[in-house]
Amino acid sequence: MPLFKTTILLFIFLAIATFTCLFWIDRYQQIGPDLLPHQWTAATFEKNRVDISDDTLTLFSQNPRIITNAQQYLPAIERGSILLFTAEMKSDNVIPGRKPWNQARLLLVQNDGKKDRWNLPLTVATLHGTNDWDTYQNFFYITPQTQSVRVIAELSHSVGSFQIRNMQLFPVRETGTYLLAKKLILISWGIFFAVLVGSCLFAEKKSALFRAVLTCAFISIIIGTSLPGYMKTSVVYEVETQIDVLSPVFADIVPWEITKIWHACIFLILGMILSLMTARVPFVQVMTIIMMMAAGTEMIQLYIDGRTPLISDFFIDSIGGFIGALIIKLVGRNKPFSLTKHAF
């Protein structure tokens, strides 16, 4: 395959540069005072309670059927701003409820004037079991539609003790150095993906249809990867809502998140088309391309607002691509392959 060694060297260089910039360059700088008014209102029932002191908030719950929480509304916040929320948290014997969110949580919830936007990123941290004091932080983008923002600390249908102290919420902005590094990193990854796609498209003489399908698969992966976190969450929320309305049985049967299904399916298609396009290429090379694509799309999420790279997504992508390529090999559309065949 043309440029195969070049793409491997470029991938290694970009991976090193991506993590080096991430760890050595400060991403944000504070541009305003603490926004937390520290005026909590609490909701407790029966034996559950909330203790509020000057610097520590403590929630106790002994009844998993109800929610114990404390909340406070923030002053008017400029739309389009970025907020950094930091806090120290501790949990004691928190037993989660049935749902994934039935745990000890600290949230920043946005409201658009009509409803709370639960489909936006909102979690500072989620705890269960026993955890000693530790510092947690997260960044939040305030959308243009947001009318109000509130902070919620809760034990959601779970029991145990949840403590929070030293909460701070600051408006921040990205530093000039980080913005420059971010632009260079994303452009470099774009060049890498272009080289990778080009080497696959012209590896062998195939029909324009195969090339078009392979290009569409690559483009869909890049688009899905480059969506900001709040936009991706909104899209996923709308899709899941439509699935619940149109086919509630399907929603109950499928145990995975819709994003995981998309990851597996798109890389399954990629693996199949790539295998068809590279009939004479060793299977190891095909899998190397798929894994570089999977790893690269996860790494660039380090520089996409609101996105988090996940090792699990890398494995889902790689396994999906492996199955797709393997299917084509096994049905005899290409020559029999050997995993031990030299790849270079």
Side-chain angles (χ1 to χ4, degrees), residues 22-55:
L22 183 70
F23 290 116
W24 285 92
I25 297 177
D26 291 332
R27 179 172 183 176
Y28 292 108
Q29 62 183 13
Q30 181 181 333
I31 58 173
D34 188 357
L35 298 174
L36 289 174
H38 298 284
Q39 297 175 352
W40 296 95
T41 58
T44 60
F45 302 91
E46 300 177 1
K47 296 182 180 180
N48 297 4
R49 74 177 194 271
V50 176
D51 294 338
I52 303 173
S53 65
D54 291 338
D55 62 349

Side-chain angles (χ1 to χ4, degrees), residues 205-220:
K205 293 182 179 180
K206 293 292 182 179
S207 69
L209 177 61
F210 280 159
R211 290 177 177 173
V213 174
L214 182 62
T215 302
C216 289
F218 274 118
I219 291 175
S220 64

Side-chain angles (χ1 to χ4, degrees), residues 27-234:
R27 179 172 183 176
Y28 292 108
Q29 62 183 13
Q30 181 181 333
I31 58 173
D34 188 357
L35 298 174
L36 289 174
H38 298 284
Q39 297 175 352
W40 296 95
T41 58
T44 60
F45 302 91
E46 300 177 1
K47 296 182 180 180
N48 297 4
R49 74 177 194 271
V50 176
D51 294 338
I52 303 173
S53 65
D54 291 338
D55 62 349
T56 303
L57 180 68
T58 305
L59 289 75
F60 298 94
S61 175
Q62 297 180 6
N63 187 346
R65 293 178 296 176
I66 60 178
I67 297 176
T68 301
N69 68 27
Q71 62 179 333
Q72 58 177 303
Y73 281 88
L74 303 183
I77 297 176
E78 182 180 355
R79 299 169 191 173
S81 60
I82 301 173
L83 305 181
L84 168 60
F85 201 151
T86 63
E88 295 179 33
M89 303 184 209
K90 176 184 179 183
S91 64
D92 291 307
N93 298 318
V94 173
I95 301 175
R98 297 176 58 186
K99 301 293 185 179
W101 55 86
N102 294 156
Q103 304 184 61
R105 303 194 300 170
L106 180 61
L107 312 173
L108 187 141
V109 181
Q110 302 183 49
N111 186 289
D112 62 6
K114 297 180 180 178
K115 63 182 184 301
D116 289 331
R117 299 292 303 277
W118 298 104
N119 57 315
L120 295 176
L122 50 79
T123 305
V124 180
T126 300
L127 302 179
H128 65 270
T130 298
N131 299 273
D132 202 358
W133 286 109
D134 201 355
T135 301
Y136 301 86
Q137 70 173 29
N138 205 353
F139 297 92
F140 298 93
Y141 172 75
I142 305 303
T143 69
Q145 295 76 31
T146 295
Q147 299 292 326
S148 63
V149 181
R150 75 184 194 274
V151 174
I152 302 175
E154 67 175 15
L155 283 166
S156 173
H157 295 291
S158 55
V159 298
S161 171
F162 182 36
Q163 294 178 272
I164 311 170
R165 68 186 184 189
N166 296 331
M167 283 177 281
Q168 294 180 313
L169 182 65
F170 295 108
V172 296
R173 67 183 175 196
E174 293 178 330
T175 64
T177 304
Y178 174 80
L179 287 173
L180 177 60
K182 174 182 177 179
K183 182 180 294 186
L184 292 175
I185 290 292
L186 293 179
I187 290 174
S188 299
W189 276 110
I191 294 173
F192 167 78
F193 289 129
V195 172
L196 188 63
V197 173
S199 65
C200 295
L201 290 177
F202 300 101
E204 297 179 15
K205 293 182 179 180
K206 293 292 182 179
S207 69
L209 177 61
F210 280 159
R211 290 177 177 173
V213 174
L214 182 62
T215 302
C216 289
F218 274 118
I219 291 175
S220 64
I221 291 172
I222 298 303
I223 291 176
T225 300
S226 59
L227 284 177
Y230 76 93
M231 190 178 297
K232 176 202 169 186
T233 306
S234 297

